[in-house]
């Protein structure tokens, strides 16, 4: 696998997720809230966390990145809880304008998380993953789906 392909794909997912949430929050200035973009972003973020925790983190943990992976998983739990809050408010009929501040909080948390994950975890993934693990991740990124009902390791903490 060419160097940097995995990290590039994962970073692209970060940008797409951020973009969907930003498209929704832009409604606070235009009055046109893109609910579909928000829901796609939440779904994509859950799937992204799944692929990291199931495919990416275990081999990196075995390669000696125990502490950075623990930090990432803790932050995934915080992100998951905040996504649950946004999803419940949306599904409960909360006015879009009232969801904007929570979505901005989610974007802020994502920014802090991604600013550590991209320069620390992703380069290690490019360098340390065995070819088979890298291929599995690439395949999942291309077409994999998260199992129904899956919840990240630290969602409750």
């Amino acid at each position: 696998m060419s160097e940097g392909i995995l990290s590039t794909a994962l970073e692209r997912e970060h940008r797409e997720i951020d973009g969907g949430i930003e498209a929704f929050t832009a409604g606070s200035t235009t009055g046109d809230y893109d609910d579909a973009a928000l829901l796609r972003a939440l779904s994509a973020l859950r799937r992204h966390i799944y692929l990291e925790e199931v495919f990416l983190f275990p081999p990196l943990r075995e390669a000696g990145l125990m502490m950075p992976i623990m930090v990432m998983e803790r932050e995934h739990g915080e992100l998951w809880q905040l996504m649950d809050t946004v999803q419940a408010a949306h599904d409960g009929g909360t006015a879009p304008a009232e969801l904007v501040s929570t979505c901005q909080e989610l974007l802020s948390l994502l920014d802090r998380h991604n600013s550590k994950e991209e320069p620390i975890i992703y380069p290690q993934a490019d360098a340390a993953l065995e070819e088979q693990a890298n291929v599995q991740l690439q395949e999942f990124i291309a077409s994999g789906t998260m199992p129904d009902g899956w919840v990240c390791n630290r969602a409750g903490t």
Side-chain angles (χ1 to χ4, degrees):
M1 183 102 357
S2 299
E3 186 158 329
I5 289 179
L6 180 58
S7 61
T8 299
L10 293 168
E11 288 175 20
R12 183 185 65 245
E13 285 194 353
H14 283 176
R15 304 289 99 53
E16 291 169 356
I17 291 163
D18 293 348
I21 299 167
E22 290 164 351
F24 177 80
T25 61
S28 65
T29 57
T30 66
D32 184 23
Y33 293 93
D34 192 342
D35 283 1
L38 175 62
L39 296 177
R40 278 191 309 274
L42 293 176
S43 178
L45 180 53
R46 289 182 192 283
R47 179 186 174 275
H48 182 84
I49 290 171
Y50 170 81
L51 81 86
E52 288 180 347
E53 292 196 3
V54 171
F55 296 104
L56 181 63
F57 290 175
L60 291 178
R61 187 179 289 111
E62 289 176 21
L65 291 175
M66 179 65 78
M67 291 307 292
I69 297 302
M70 288 176 62
V71 170
M72 294 297 101
E73 287 179 336
R74 180 183 46 76
E75 291 179 359
H76 283 176
E78 294 169 2
L79 289 163
W80 200 276
Q81 290 173 345
L82 196 50
M83 284 188 290
D84 283 349
T85 298
V86 171
Q87 187 80 49
H90 178 273
D91 294 351
T94 299
E98 294 177 33
L99 285 175
V100 169
S101 66
T102 308
C103 288
Q104 289 170 332
E105 181 183 347
L106 181 58
L107 283 168
S108 178
L109 189 57
L110 281 168
D111 181 58
R112 287 190 308 273
H113 177 77
N114 295 346
S115 71
K116 290 180 284 223
E117 190 170 60
E118 290 175 4
I120 297 168
I121 302 297
Y122 291 172
Q124 291 298 317
D126 286 333
L129 289 184
E130 296 291 329
E131 182 70 17
Q132 182 173 347
N134 201 320
V135 168
Q136 287 175 326
L137 261 166
Q138 288 291 335
E139 289 173 355
F140 186 85
I141 289 169
S143 62
T145 58
M146 183 178 85
D148 289 338
W150 185 87
V151 176
C152 77
N153 292 331
R154 303 281 299 268
T157 57

